[in-house]
Amino acid sequence: MTQRIAVLGATGSIGDSTLAILAAHSQDYEVYALSGYQRLDKLFALCQQFQPARVCVPVSEVDSFAQRLNEAGLRIDVVSGDRGLIEIATDPQVDTVVAAIVGAAGLPSTLDAAKAGKRILLANKEALVMAGEVMMETVKRHSATLLPLDSEHNAIFQCLPLAIQQDNTQIHTASHGVRKLWLTASGGPFLHESFAQMQQASVAKAVKHPNWSMGQKISVDSATMMNKGLELIEACHLFDLSEEMINVVIHPQSIIHSMVEYRDGSFLAQLGSPDMKTPIAHALSYPARIDSGVQPLDLYALSGLEFIKPDLQKFACLRLARQAMQAGTQATIVLNAANEIAVAAFLAEQVRLTDIADINEQALSEIQVPLLDAHADIDDILAIDALARRYTETLVAKIAYGT
Ligand code: NDP
Ligand code: MG
């Protein structure tokens, strides 16, 4: 039986890798729906190549995109905006939703895919950072399946016992002998540079990751190590663990993608070339295995693998993520929102790379938000997100314009 796939965020980096695998296995997977946002020429080319049944574009583009498809003789249903993403994510024809939109914009469609009981391949880590409890609870209640695409979480998933893999909403990791999870981090482009050098970093340098090729936002997050902070929070929710159970270790070669430490002293690791096609192929075909097209690791050519403890002064965002996780969901929502605004300001050259951590820290300590309990709903979450964004914009303005 072919699996029908919706790729939300099809025009991005994860979208590219996913579609390359789907194209190579077209007998097993049907590209049923795609979404894009700004790169609509690329989305149009993807529509020509894959001829999906449905496509989602921003509300302002729906008429012109539909006309363009029409003129090219492509009969594709065009939907738009957040509502369109939700329509696709919950479409009864769809088996699997690849959640690969960047940032908070990916949350509503991912959550609704869970409500519709879909198999969700999750790249959009921000959805779990903002709404971890709600998301996991929804997955459980509606018997959805959540498979992590993020390479570290996918690696951990692969190293966990089968019983946990088969029901990742019922994890009692402790009773399976798990002592700790180890998230590996590359350390990003500034690992061997001083804080002062990091302060002067250009956008071009910050987005040039040493091992992985990724979208701009996650590349900046890797440079500040906020990415590892977001991943720590993501792992707490996915694997039902408190933050002290998760260690972060810098491993500049990005060969080991993460590890599970067991009570008996065993460390299980997943290794591979740093290419997102491996975790994507794993999750697409789970529990089977398909060819991802990734170059196999050449173990003979590998020289030393290093492991380094992160410097929490230089990479303060990692410390902030632990602090926010301890404080609760309201704090992780604030941190995520503040970080999105701060990263956008850095990409627009309004603030320095090192200002991002300061802005995030200020937002966390100054924004007054209500405590969220396990019964919070999406509106409560989005209200805190909106408040945090507005406040952070004022913090950015103070730095950018010296007001
Ligand atoms: P990209 O920036 O390359 O792609 C983001 C995608 O989201 C694009 O399709 C973009 O459309 C779409 N998009 C952006 N803003 C909106 C919006 N407001 N509404 C609807 N769609 C929108 O990012 P990546 O592919 O690198 O990352 C995607 C997600 O996966 C992120 O959450 C990231 O953290 C996570 N991830 C990525 C990894 C990687 O290797 N790239 C690794 C692990 C996780 P358009 O391009 O048309 O504007
Ligand atoms: Mg990752």
Side-chain angles (χ1 to χ4, degrees), residues 93-324:
Q93 298 289 325
V94 168
D95 303 304
T96 298
V97 175
V98 179
I101 289 175
V102 61
L107 173 61
S109 51
T110 309
L111 193 57
D112 279 35
K115 282 187 196 146
K118 301 294 183 194
R119 178 177 167 109
I120 302 166
L121 273 47
L122 185 75
N124 178 230
K125 61 192 82 183
E126 296 89 347
L128 279 183
V129 172
M130 293 175 71
E133 278 114 6
V134 179
M135 184 74 76
M136 296 311 287
E137 189 51 40
T138 308
V139 165
K140 197 192 296 190
R141 191 160 357 111
H142 297 274
S143 305
T145 304
L146 190 59
L147 293 164
L149 290 190
D150 213 344
S151 58
E152 296 76 4
H153 305 74
N154 184 274
I156 288 168
F157 180 89
Q158 294 195 48
C159 296
L160 284 170
L162 195 62
I164 297 183
Q165 290 186 9
Q166 285 173 343
D167 186 357
N168 68 355
T169 61
Q170 298 285 332
I171 303 181
H172 303 290
T173 353
S175 62
H176 290 276
V178 172
R179 188 189 275 157
K180 266 194 186 300
L181 303 184
W182 289 81
L183 281 180
T184 53
S186 69
F190 301 100
L191 175 60
H192 298 298
E193 302 205 3
S194 66
F195 184 80
Q197 283 169 309
M198 218 170 135
Q199 238 169 358
Q200 304 306 323
S202 66
V203 169
K205 174 141 192 211
V207 299
K208 196 163 166 12
H209 195 276
N211 305 336
W212 300 91
S213 149
M214 309 182 287
Q216 287 210 313
K217 192 250 173 188
I218 181 173
S219 298
V220 175
D221 285 346
S222 297
T224 60
M225 284 193 76
M226 186 71 238
N227 184 48
K228 213 47 56 181
L230 298 176
E231 291 184 354
L232 178 92
I233 298 167
E234 181 186 11
C236 291
H237 292 299
L238 265 179
F239 304 117
D240 195 17
L241 291 172
S242 59
E243 56 84 27
E244 327 73 90
M245 298 270 292
I246 305 175
N247 283 357
V248 172
V249 62
I250 294 179
H251 164 48
Q253 294 76 21
S254 300
I255 296 296
I256 293 180
H257 299 309
S258 280
M259 290 169 271
V260 178
E261 176 187 341
Y262 287 90
R263 202 183 287 151
D264 61 7
S266 302
F267 278 63
L268 297 196
Q270 186 259 2
L271 285 72
S273 304
D275 188 324
M276 287 305 293
K277 289 205 266 321
T278 295
I280 295 169
H282 168 266
L284 270 172
S285 61
Y286 180 83
R289 298 266 178 181
I290 56 170
D291 189 348
S292 64
V294 172
Q295 274 297 99
L297 257 190
D298 181 357
L299 288 174
Y300 296 124
L302 278 183
S303 53
L305 299 182
E306 294 167 277
F307 301 96
I308 304 164
K309 198 168 182 178
D311 172 350
L312 294 185
Q313 272 192 310
K314 185 165 147 194
F315 297 115
C317 287
L318 194 49
R319 172 175 58 76
L320 296 178
R322 284 200 188 274
Q323 190 183 313

